[in-house]
Amino acid sequence: MNPTLYAYGALGLAIVCEVAGTSFLQRSEQFTKLVPSLLMAGFYAGSFFFLSQALKSLPLGIAYAIWGGLGIVLTAVVSVVVFRQTLDAAALVGIGMIVAGVVVVQTFSGSMTH
């Protein structure tokens, strides 16, 4: 398998695990519920494992920018869809700026090899 394709696949799994972990963190109610707390810990461990696999081929700065940026966006979507929370205009603009930053790094950065 292509190492870069594997790395981006692992990064995608890291992002999904991070978003799931954060969702279970919300459900754990400050660690007062055992099952959501254990699921949160398991998903966070999985996220770091898959991120470590992605770092075998991807530069840290690129991988972390994608992981953090997409994690924020997907967590915001989960907060709206699953937890029925609302995002105001400032939150949407800020999230948009994060996405734009990831796109700029991925597309135009010459300081990091990717």
Side-chain angles (χ1 to χ4, degrees), residues 58-108:
L58 298 175
L60 175 62
I62 297 295
Y64 197 79
I66 296 168
W67 183 68
L70 290 178
I72 289 168
V73 170
L74 292 175
T75 300
V77 169
V78 168
S79 75
V80 170
V81 173
V82 175
F83 298 113
R84 306 283 188 234
Q85 298 171 347
T86 58
L87 299 173
D88 61 12
L92 293 172
V93 168
I95 291 169
M97 292 172 84
I98 291 167
V99 171
V102 170
V103 169
V104 167
V105 168
Q106 274 292 98
T107 306
F108 301 109

mmCIF file of all heavy atoms in Angstrom, residues 58-108:
data_model
loop_
_atom_site.group_PDB
_atom_site.id
_atom_site.type_symbol
_atom_site.label_atom_id
_atom_site.label_comp_id
_atom_site.label_asym_id
_atom_site.label_seq_id
_atom_site.Cartn_x
_atom_site.Cartn_y
_atom_site.Cartn_z
ATOM 1 N N LEU A 58 3.818 11.494 7.469
ATOM 2 C CA LEU A 58 3.422 12.898 7.347
ATOM 3 C C LEU A 58 4.200 13.766 8.328
ATOM 4 O O LEU A 58 4.445 13.343 9.464
ATOM 5 C CB LEU A 58 1.921 13.054 7.626
ATOM 6 C CG LEU A 58 0.963 12.327 6.696
ATOM 7 C CD1 LEU A 58 -0.471 12.496 7.178
ATOM 8 C CD2 LEU A 58 1.115 12.847 5.282
ATOM 9 N N PRO A 59 4.553 14.986 7.927
ATOM 10 C CA PRO A 59 5.202 15.899 8.867
ATOM 11 C C PRO A 59 4.254 16.256 10.017
ATOM 12 O O PRO A 59 3.040 16.374 9.813
ATOM 13 C CB PRO A 59 5.501 17.135 8.023
ATOM 14 C CG PRO A 59 5.380 16.706 6.611
ATOM 15 C CD PRO A 59 4.422 15.557 6.593
ATOM 16 N N LEU A 60 4.805 16.423 11.192
ATOM 17 C CA LEU A 60 4.013 16.717 12.385
ATOM 18 C C LEU A 60 3.117 17.935 12.191
ATOM 19 O O LEU A 60 1.936 17.900 12.511
ATOM 20 C CB LEU A 60 4.943 16.916 13.591
ATOM 21 C CG LEU A 60 4.272 17.347 14.894
ATOM 22 C CD1 LEU A 60 3.296 16.285 15.371
ATOM 23 C CD2 LEU A 60 5.312 17.641 15.955
ATOM 24 N N GLY A 61 3.668 19.022 11.671
ATOM 25 C CA GLY A 61 2.890 20.251 11.525
ATOM 26 C C GLY A 61 1.692 20.080 10.613
ATOM 27 O O GLY A 61 0.592 20.570 10.902
ATOM 28 N N ILE A 62 1.888 19.367 9.510
ATOM 29 C CA ILE A 62 0.792 19.137 8.570
ATOM 30 C C ILE A 62 -0.258 18.227 9.197
ATOM 31 O O ILE A 62 -1.459 18.513 9.173
ATOM 32 C CB ILE A 62 1.324 18.505 7.264
ATOM 33 C CG1 ILE A 62 2.286 19.456 6.552
ATOM 34 C CG2 ILE A 62 0.186 18.068 6.356
ATOM 35 C CD1 ILE A 62 1.663 20.718 6.055
ATOM 36 N N ALA A 63 0.184 17.116 9.771
ATOM 37 C CA ALA A 63 -0.751 16.162 10.368
ATOM 38 C C ALA A 63 -1.544 16.803 11.498
ATOM 39 O O ALA A 63 -2.768 16.633 11.586
ATOM 40 C CB ALA A 63 0.001 14.926 10.881
ATOM 41 N N TYR A 64 -0.875 17.563 12.345
ATOM 42 C CA TYR A 64 -1.560 18.161 13.489
ATOM 43 C C TYR A 64 -2.529 19.249 13.041
ATOM 44 O O TYR A 64 -3.615 19.389 13.605
ATOM 45 C CB TYR A 64 -0.554 18.703 14.502
ATOM 46 C CG TYR A 64 -1.180 18.953 15.840
ATOM 47 C CD1 TYR A 64 -1.410 17.903 16.722
ATOM 48 C CD2 TYR A 64 -1.579 20.224 16.226
ATOM 49 C CE1 TYR A 64 -2.007 18.118 17.945
ATOM 50 C CE2 TYR A 64 -2.170 20.453 17.451
ATOM 51 C CZ TYR A 64 -2.391 19.394 18.311
ATOM 52 O OH TYR A 64 -2.988 19.611 19.509
ATOM 53 N N ALA A 65 -2.161 20.008 12.010
ATOM 54 C CA ALA A 65 -3.068 21.041 11.503
ATOM 55 C C ALA A 65 -4.350 20.406 10.965
ATOM 56 O O ALA A 65 -5.455 20.891 11.242
ATOM 57 C CB ALA A 65 -2.373 21.856 10.411
ATOM 58 N N ILE A 66 -4.205 19.336 10.221
ATOM 59 C CA ILE A 66 -5.385 18.654 9.681
ATOM 60 C C ILE A 66 -6.192 18.014 10.802
ATOM 61 O O ILE A 66 -7.423 18.146 10.862
ATOM 62 C CB ILE A 66 -4.970 17.599 8.632
ATOM 63 C CG1 ILE A 66 -4.316 18.281 7.431
ATOM 64 C CG2 ILE A 66 -6.159 16.748 8.203
ATOM 65 C CD1 ILE A 66 -3.632 17.325 6.489
ATOM 66 N N TRP A 67 -5.500 17.325 11.701
ATOM 67 C CA TRP A 67 -6.165 16.650 12.824
ATOM 68 C C TRP A 67 -6.939 17.655 13.680
ATOM 69 O O TRP A 67 -8.121 17.446 13.990
ATOM 70 C CB TRP A 67 -5.110 15.922 13.652
ATOM 71 C CG TRP A 67 -5.592 15.113 14.800
ATOM 72 C CD1 TRP A 67 -6.320 13.971 14.761
ATOM 73 C CD2 TRP A 67 -5.339 15.365 16.188
ATOM 74 N NE1 TRP A 67 -6.522 13.487 16.041
ATOM 75 C CE2 TRP A 67 -5.936 14.328 16.926
ATOM 76 C CE3 TRP A 67 -4.649 16.357 16.867
ATOM 77 C CZ2 TRP A 67 -5.873 14.267 18.310
ATOM 78 C CZ3 TRP A 67 -4.588 16.301 18.250
ATOM 79 C CH2 TRP A 67 -5.201 15.256 18.955
ATOM 80 N N GLY A 68 -6.279 18.721 14.040
ATOM 81 C CA GLY A 68 -6.928 19.729 14.883
ATOM 82 C C GLY A 68 -8.052 20.453 14.161
ATOM 83 O O GLY A 68 -9.154 20.616 14.695
ATOM 84 N N GLY A 69 -7.783 20.882 12.928
ATOM 85 C CA GLY A 69 -8.774 21.649 12.183
ATOM 86 C C GLY A 69 -10.025 20.852 11.877
ATOM 87 O O GLY A 69 -11.149 21.298 12.149
ATOM 88 N N LEU A 70 -9.851 19.680 11.303
ATOM 89 C CA LEU A 70 -11.023 18.865 10.988
ATOM 90 C C LEU A 70 -11.714 18.357 12.246
ATOM 91 O O LEU A 70 -12.938 18.212 12.274
ATOM 92 C CB LEU A 70 -10.641 17.709 10.076
ATOM 93 C CG LEU A 70 -10.273 18.102 8.647
ATOM 94 C CD1 LEU A 70 -9.873 16.884 7.834
ATOM 95 C CD2 LEU A 70 -11.406 18.848 7.984
ATOM 96 N N GLY A 71 -10.926 18.103 13.297
ATOM 97 C CA GLY A 71 -11.527 17.697 14.572
ATOM 98 C C GLY A 71 -12.445 18.775 15.124
ATOM 99 O O GLY A 71 -13.546 18.485 15.606
ATOM 100 N N ILE A 72 -12.011 20.031 15.023
ATOM 101 C CA ILE A 72 -12.836 21.148 15.499
ATOM 102 C C ILE A 72 -14.119 21.252 14.685
ATOM 103 O O ILE A 72 -15.219 21.389 15.237
ATOM 104 C CB ILE A 72 -12.047 22.469 15.443
ATOM 105 C CG1 ILE A 72 -10.959 22.470 16.523
ATOM 106 C CG2 ILE A 72 -12.961 23.680 15.592
ATOM 107 C CD1 ILE A 72 -9.942 23.582 16.367
ATOM 108 N N VAL A 73 -13.984 21.186 13.373
ATOM 109 C CA VAL A 73 -15.154 21.309 12.504
ATOM 110 C C VAL A 73 -16.147 20.176 12.758
ATOM 111 O O VAL A 73 -17.345 20.412 12.947
ATOM 112 C CB VAL A 73 -14.733 21.344 11.017
ATOM 113 C CG1 VAL A 73 -15.939 21.223 10.105
ATOM 114 C CG2 VAL A 73 -13.954 22.612 10.722
ATOM 115 N N LEU A 74 -15.661 18.946 12.779
ATOM 116 C CA LEU A 74 -16.561 17.805 12.983
ATOM 117 C C LEU A 74 -17.165 17.793 14.385
ATOM 118 O O LEU A 74 -18.328 17.421 14.560
ATOM 119 C CB LEU A 74 -15.828 16.495 12.689
ATOM 120 C CG LEU A 74 -15.458 16.292 11.221
ATOM 121 C CD1 LEU A 74 -14.630 15.028 11.057
ATOM 122 C CD2 LEU A 74 -16.694 16.255 10.352
ATOM 123 N N THR A 75 -16.398 18.210 15.375
ATOM 124 C CA THR A 75 -16.947 18.299 16.734
ATOM 125 C C THR A 75 -18.039 19.353 16.806
ATOM 126 O O THR A 75 -19.067 19.152 17.471
ATOM 127 C CB THR A 75 -15.832 18.592 17.753
ATOM 128 O OG1 THR A 75 -14.874 17.521 17.700
ATOM 129 C CG2 THR A 75 -16.381 18.698 19.161
ATOM 130 N N ALA A 76 -17.855 20.463 16.098
ATOM 131 C CA ALA A 76 -18.894 21.491 16.055
ATOM 132 C C ALA A 76 -20.158 20.947 15.381
ATOM 133 O O ALA A 76 -21.276 21.206 15.842
ATOM 134 C CB ALA A 76 -18.386 22.726 15.315
ATOM 135 N N VAL A 77 -19.989 20.179 14.313
ATOM 136 C CA VAL A 77 -21.144 19.577 13.637
ATOM 137 C C VAL A 77 -21.860 18.616 14.576
ATOM 138 O O VAL A 77 -23.095 18.638 14.683
ATOM 139 C CB VAL A 77 -20.710 18.867 12.336
ATOM 140 C CG1 VAL A 77 -21.840 18.012 11.771
ATOM 141 C CG2 VAL A 77 -20.229 19.878 11.310
ATOM 142 N N VAL A 78 -21.105 17.780 15.284
ATOM 143 C CA VAL A 78 -21.708 16.843 16.244
ATOM 144 C C VAL A 78 -22.437 17.612 17.343
ATOM 145 O O VAL A 78 -23.542 17.226 17.749
ATOM 146 C CB VAL A 78 -20.639 15.899 16.842
ATOM 147 C CG1 VAL A 78 -21.184 15.140 18.046
ATOM 148 C CG2 VAL A 78 -20.141 14.931 15.782
ATOM 149 N N SER A 79 -21.860 18.717 17.805
ATOM 150 C CA SER A 79 -22.509 19.480 18.876
ATOM 151 C C SER A 79 -23.863 20.032 18.422
ATOM 152 O O SER A 79 -24.802 20.097 19.212
ATOM 153 C CB SER A 79 -21.604 20.611 19.368
ATOM 154 O OG SER A 79 -21.562 21.679 18.445
ATOM 155 N N VAL A 80 -23.958 20.398 17.159
ATOM 156 C CA VAL A 80 -25.223 20.924 16.629
ATOM 157 C C VAL A 80 -26.219 19.793 16.366
ATOM 158 O O VAL A 80 -27.375 19.864 16.780
ATOM 159 C CB VAL A 80 -24.974 21.735 15.334
ATOM 160 C CG1 VAL A 80 -26.283 22.087 14.642
ATOM 161 C CG2 VAL A 80 -24.179 22.997 15.648
ATOM 162 N N VAL A 81 -25.759 18.737 15.700
ATOM 163 C CA VAL A 81 -26.661 17.665 15.262
ATOM 164 C C VAL A 81 -27.074 16.753 16.416
ATOM 165 O O VAL A 81 -28.252 16.453 16.597
ATOM 166 C CB VAL A 81 -26.012 16.846 14.122
ATOM 167 C CG1 VAL A 81 -26.844 15.623 13.777
ATOM 168 C CG2 VAL A 81 -25.791 17.721 12.900
ATOM 169 N N VAL A 82 -26.091 16.331 17.223
ATOM 170 C CA VAL A 82 -26.378 15.346 18.272
ATOM 171 C C VAL A 82 -26.832 16.008 19.569
ATOM 172 O O VAL A 82 -27.811 15.580 20.188
ATOM 173 C CB VAL A 82 -25.138 14.452 18.527
ATOM 174 C CG1 VAL A 82 -25.375 13.509 19.686
ATOM 175 C CG2 VAL A 82 -24.779 13.677 17.265
ATOM 176 N N PHE A 83 -26.125 17.065 19.982
ATOM 177 C CA PHE A 83 -26.404 17.666 21.284
ATOM 178 C C PHE A 83 -27.323 18.886 21.198
ATOM 179 O O PHE A 83 -27.602 19.525 22.199
ATOM 180 C CB PHE A 83 -25.088 18.033 21.979
ATOM 181 C CG PHE A 83 -24.218 16.837 22.255
ATOM 182 C CD1 PHE A 83 -23.003 16.672 21.588
ATOM 183 C CD2 PHE A 83 -24.605 15.868 23.161
ATOM 184 C CE1 PHE A 83 -22.198 15.571 21.830
ATOM 185 C CE2 PHE A 83 -23.814 14.765 23.411
ATOM 186 C CZ PHE A 83 -22.608 14.612 22.743
ATOM 187 N N ARG A 84 -27.772 19.217 19.981
ATOM 188 C CA ARG A 84 -28.712 20.327 19.761
ATOM 189 C C ARG A 84 -28.201 21.660 20.311
ATOM 190 O O ARG A 84 -28.969 22.490 20.788
ATOM 191 C CB ARG A 84 -30.084 20.013 20.340
ATOM 192 C CG ARG A 84 -30.697 18.714 19.865
ATOM 193 C CD ARG A 84 -31.253 18.892 18.474
ATOM 194 N NE ARG A 84 -32.006 17.688 18.085
ATOM 195 C CZ ARG A 84 -31.765 17.030 16.977
ATOM 196 N NH1 ARG A 84 -30.817 17.409 16.166
ATOM 197 N NH2 ARG A 84 -32.465 15.975 16.673
ATOM 198 N N GLN A 85 -26.891 21.863 20.246
ATOM 199 C CA GLN A 85 -26.301 23.134 20.653
ATOM 200 C C GLN A 85 -26.283 24.062 19.450
ATOM 201 O O GLN A 85 -26.344 23.607 18.311
ATOM 202 C CB GLN A 85 -24.902 22.908 21.215
ATOM 203 C CG GLN A 85 -24.913 22.027 22.450
ATOM 204 C CD GLN A 85 -23.524 21.600 22.902
ATOM 205 O OE1 GLN A 85 -22.550 21.750 22.182
ATOM 206 N NE2 GLN A 85 -23.449 21.057 24.099
ATOM 207 N N THR A 86 -26.204 25.352 19.689
ATOM 208 C CA THR A 86 -26.209 26.308 18.582
ATOM 209 C C THR A 86 -24.846 26.983 18.468
ATOM 210 O O THR A 86 -24.114 27.115 19.446
ATOM 211 C CB THR A 86 -27.295 27.384 18.782
ATOM 212 O OG1 THR A 86 -27.059 28.063 20.013
ATOM 213 C CG2 THR A 86 -28.680 26.763 18.801
ATOM 214 N N LEU A 87 -24.535 27.396 17.249
ATOM 215 C CA LEU A 87 -23.311 28.145 16.977
ATOM 216 C C LEU A 87 -23.720 29.524 16.477
ATOM 217 O O LEU A 87 -24.519 29.631 15.544
ATOM 218 C CB LEU A 87 -22.467 27.433 15.916
ATOM 219 C CG LEU A 87 -21.978 26.038 16.264
ATOM 220 C CD1 LEU A 87 -21.309 25.400 15.053
ATOM 221 C CD2 LEU A 87 -21.006 26.095 17.431
ATOM 222 N N ASP A 88 -23.178 30.569 17.092
ATOM 223 C CA ASP A 88 -23.494 31.915 16.626
ATOM 224 C C ASP A 88 -22.567 32.297 15.476
ATOM 225 O O ASP A 88 -21.700 31.527 15.059
ATOM 226 C CB ASP A 88 -23.421 32.924 17.774
ATOM 227 C CG ASP A 88 -22.050 33.017 18.420
ATOM 228 O OD1 ASP A 88 -21.070 32.472 17.860
ATOM 229 O OD2 ASP A 88 -21.951 33.647 19.479
ATOM 230 N N ALA A 89 -22.768 33.485 14.945
ATOM 231 C CA ALA A 89 -22.002 33.942 13.784
ATOM 232 C C ALA A 89 -20.503 33.977 14.075
ATOM 233 O O ALA A 89 -19.696 33.581 13.224
ATOM 234 C CB ALA A 89 -22.497 35.314 13.336
ATOM 235 N N ALA A 90 -20.128 34.421 15.264
ATOM 236 C CA ALA A 90 -18.702 34.492 15.598
ATOM 237 C C ALA A 90 -18.070 33.099 15.608
ATOM 238 O O ALA A 90 -16.941 32.915 15.137
ATOM 239 C CB ALA A 90 -18.514 35.173 16.956
ATOM 240 N N ALA A 91 -18.795 32.116 16.128
ATOM 241 C CA ALA A 91 -18.283 30.749 16.137
ATOM 242 C C ALA A 91 -18.114 30.229 14.716
ATOM 243 O O ALA A 91 -17.102 29.602 14.384
ATOM 244 C CB ALA A 91 -19.215 29.831 16.935
ATOM 245 N N LEU A 92 -19.075 30.483 13.865
ATOM 246 C CA LEU A 92 -18.998 30.030 12.484
ATOM 247 C C LEU A 92 -17.851 30.705 11.727
ATOM 248 O O LEU A 92 -17.136 30.058 10.966
ATOM 249 C CB LEU A 92 -20.328 30.271 11.774
ATOM 250 C CG LEU A 92 -21.493 29.423 12.276
ATOM 251 C CD1 LEU A 92 -22.811 29.875 11.634
ATOM 252 C CD2 LEU A 92 -21.248 27.953 12.025
ATOM 253 N N VAL A 93 -17.669 32.003 11.952
ATOM 254 C CA VAL A 93 -16.556 32.713 11.316
ATOM 255 C C VAL A 93 -15.228 32.150 11.807
ATOM 256 O O VAL A 93 -14.308 31.897 11.025
ATOM 257 C CB VAL A 93 -16.647 34.235 11.569
ATOM 258 C CG1 VAL A 93 -15.363 34.950 11.163
ATOM 259 C CG2 VAL A 93 -17.836 34.823 10.820
ATOM 260 N N GLY A 94 -15.103 31.926 13.105
ATOM 261 C CA GLY A 94 -13.867 31.369 13.665
ATOM 262 C C GLY A 94 -13.561 29.993 13.123
ATOM 263 O O GLY A 94 -12.411 29.693 12.760
ATOM 264 N N ILE A 95 -14.572 29.145 13.041
ATOM 265 C CA ILE A 95 -14.381 27.803 12.484
ATOM 266 C C ILE A 95 -13.992 27.903 11.014
ATOM 267 O O ILE A 95 -13.105 27.179 10.540
ATOM 268 C CB ILE A 95 -15.640 26.942 12.693
ATOM 269 C CG1 ILE A 95 -15.800 26.622 14.180
ATOM 270 C CG2 ILE A 95 -15.579 25.662 11.871
ATOM 271 C CD1 ILE A 95 -17.132 26.004 14.550
ATOM 272 N N GLY A 96 -14.610 28.828 10.286
ATOM 273 C CA GLY A 96 -14.247 29.047 8.892
ATOM 274 C C GLY A 96 -12.798 29.470 8.742
ATOM 275 O O GLY A 96 -12.100 29.051 7.809
ATOM 276 N N MET A 97 -12.314 30.288 9.664
ATOM 277 C CA MET A 97 -10.918 30.728 9.626
ATOM 278 C C MET A 97 -9.964 29.557 9.893
ATOM 279 O O MET A 97 -8.885 29.475 9.295
ATOM 280 C CB MET A 97 -10.695 31.862 10.626
ATOM 281 C CG MET A 97 -11.423 33.128 10.231
ATOM 282 S SD MET A 97 -11.375 34.394 11.506
ATOM 283 C CE MET A 97 -9.802 35.124 11.127
ATOM 284 N N ILE A 98 -10.363 28.656 10.765
ATOM 285 C CA ILE A 98 -9.547 27.467 11.029
ATOM 286 C C ILE A 98 -9.450 26.617 9.770
ATOM 287 O O ILE A 98 -8.368 26.172 9.384
ATOM 288 C CB ILE A 98 -10.127 26.659 12.213
ATOM 289 C CG1 ILE A 98 -9.942 27.437 13.512
ATOM 290 C CG2 ILE A 98 -9.475 25.274 12.301
ATOM 291 C CD1 ILE A 98 -10.742 26.900 14.678
ATOM 292 N N VAL A 99 -10.581 26.396 9.119
ATOM 293 C CA VAL A 99 -10.598 25.614 7.879
ATOM 294 C C VAL A 99 -9.729 26.301 6.823
ATOM 295 O O VAL A 99 -8.924 25.653 6.147
ATOM 296 C CB VAL A 99 -12.038 25.407 7.368
ATOM 297 C CG1 VAL A 99 -12.049 24.805 5.977
ATOM 298 C CG2 VAL A 99 -12.824 24.540 8.337
ATOM 299 N N ALA A 100 -9.867 27.614 6.701
ATOM 300 C CA ALA A 100 -9.056 28.351 5.727
ATOM 301 C C ALA A 100 -7.574 28.210 6.042
ATOM 302 O O ALA A 100 -6.749 28.054 5.128
ATOM 303 C CB ALA A 100 -9.465 29.826 5.716
ATOM 304 N N GLY A 101 -7.217 28.226 7.305
ATOM 305 C CA GLY A 101 -5.823 28.056 7.686
ATOM 306 C C GLY A 101 -5.282 26.699 7.295
ATOM 307 O O GLY A 101 -4.151 26.589 6.797
ATOM 308 N N VAL A 102 -6.057 25.663 7.494
ATOM 309 C CA VAL A 102 -5.627 24.314 7.106
ATOM 310 C C VAL A 102 -5.457 24.245 5.590
ATOM 311 O O VAL A 102 -4.475 23.689 5.087
ATOM 312 C CB VAL A 102 -6.624 23.240 7.609
ATOM 313 C CG1 VAL A 102 -6.317 21.880 7.004
ATOM 314 C CG2 VAL A 102 -6.602 23.176 9.126
ATOM 315 N N VAL A 103 -6.387 24.837 4.860
ATOM 316 C CA VAL A 103 -6.293 24.832 3.401
ATOM 317 C C VAL A 103 -5.046 25.582 2.942
ATOM 318 O O VAL A 103 -4.321 25.118 2.054
ATOM 319 C CB VAL A 103 -7.571 25.430 2.764
ATOM 320 C CG1 VAL A 103 -7.381 25.673 1.274
ATOM 321 C CG2 VAL A 103 -8.758 24.527 3.017
ATOM 322 N N VAL A 104 -4.769 26.730 3.547
ATOM 323 C CA VAL A 104 -3.575 27.506 3.181
ATOM 324 C C VAL A 104 -2.313 26.700 3.444
ATOM 325 O O VAL A 104 -1.413 26.631 2.602
ATOM 326 C CB VAL A 104 -3.545 28.854 3.932
ATOM 327 C CG1 VAL A 104 -2.177 29.527 3.818
ATOM 328 C CG2 VAL A 104 -4.627 29.778 3.396
ATOM 329 N N VAL A 105 -2.215 26.073 4.599
ATOM 330 C CA VAL A 105 -1.024 25.268 4.915
ATOM 331 C C VAL A 105 -0.878 24.123 3.923
ATOM 332 O O VAL A 105 0.209 23.887 3.385
ATOM 333 C CB VAL A 105 -1.091 24.736 6.366
ATOM 334 C CG1 VAL A 105 -0.037 23.680 6.614
ATOM 335 C CG2 VAL A 105 -0.942 25.876 7.358
ATOM 336 N N GLN A 106 -1.977 23.406 3.656
ATOM 337 C CA GLN A 106 -1.922 22.267 2.756
ATOM 338 C C GLN A 106 -1.576 22.679 1.330
ATOM 339 O O GLN A 106 -0.863 21.988 0.632
ATOM 340 C CB GLN A 106 -3.260 21.527 2.736
ATOM 341 C CG GLN A 106 -3.421 20.501 3.815
ATOM 342 C CD GLN A 106 -2.509 19.327 3.629
ATOM 343 O OE1 GLN A 106 -1.456 19.257 4.232
ATOM 344 N NE2 GLN A 106 -2.889 18.376 2.821
ATOM 345 N N THR A 107 -2.079 23.817 0.914
ATOM 346 C CA THR A 107 -1.958 24.211 -0.488
ATOM 347 C C THR A 107 -0.711 25.031 -0.783
ATOM 348 O O THR A 107 -0.047 24.806 -1.800
ATOM 349 C CB THR A 107 -3.209 25.031 -0.907
ATOM 350 O OG1 THR A 107 -4.375 24.270 -0.594
ATOM 351 C CG2 THR A 107 -3.191 25.330 -2.385
ATOM 352 N N PHE A 108 -0.362 25.945 0.097
ATOM 353 C CA PHE A 108 0.662 26.935 -0.242
ATOM 354 C C PHE A 108 1.932 26.871 0.586
ATOM 355 O O PHE A 108 2.904 27.535 0.250
ATOM 356 C CB PHE A 108 0.078 28.338 -0.123
ATOM 357 C CG PHE A 108 -1.111 28.566 -1.014
ATOM 358 C CD1 PHE A 108 -2.385 28.686 -0.482
ATOM 359 C CD2 PHE A 108 -0.965 28.630 -2.385
ATOM 360 C CE1 PHE A 108 -3.483 28.896 -1.294
ATOM 361 C CE2 PHE A 108 -2.056 28.837 -3.210
ATOM 362 C CZ PHE A 108 -3.330 28.969 -2.670
#
